[in-house]
Amino acid sequence: MSYADPLDAIDGAKSEADEAGHDLRGFTRRTGSFGYRFEARCHTCRETVIIARVNAGWDYSRPIDSCATQAS
């Protein structure tokens, strides 16, 4: 699913990352030849979640894997 608003995509990614046990502390805006995107890194396992413009909307890679430091 693509989001029209990047804040909605951030909320969706944060929610999915929380369910997977990640500890995201905030998204930062990055710019470059790709335009701009938003990134957040898990405080415990260092995995990065990226929100990027896709066609006419915003999205992130799915599924977000479980945090590597989660005990089974």
Side-chain angles (χ1 to χ4, degrees):
M1 169 171 52
S2 183
Y3 298 88
D5 186 329
L7 295 178
D8 292 336
I10 288 171
D11 286 343
K14 174 85 169 100
S15 177
E16 188 173 329
D18 287 346
E19 289 176 14
H22 291 287
D23 181 16
L24 302 182
R25 302 268 173 110
F27 283 82
T28 57
R29 182 177 163 172
R30 304 281 185 200
T31 58
S33 61
F34 48 79
Y36 69 93
R37 64 184 183 211
F38 299 91
E39 297 180 2
R41 189 177 303 262
C42 177
H43 185 69
T44 53
C45 75
R46 311 304 291 163
E47 182 175 334
T48 301
V49 175
I50 298 173
I51 311 296
R53 192 139 177 97
V54 178
N55 298 323
W58 294 88
D59 210 351
Y60 58 94
S61 298
R62 291 190 191 100
I64 295 176
D65 296 327
S66 294
C67 185
T69 60
Q70 283 288 344
S72 355

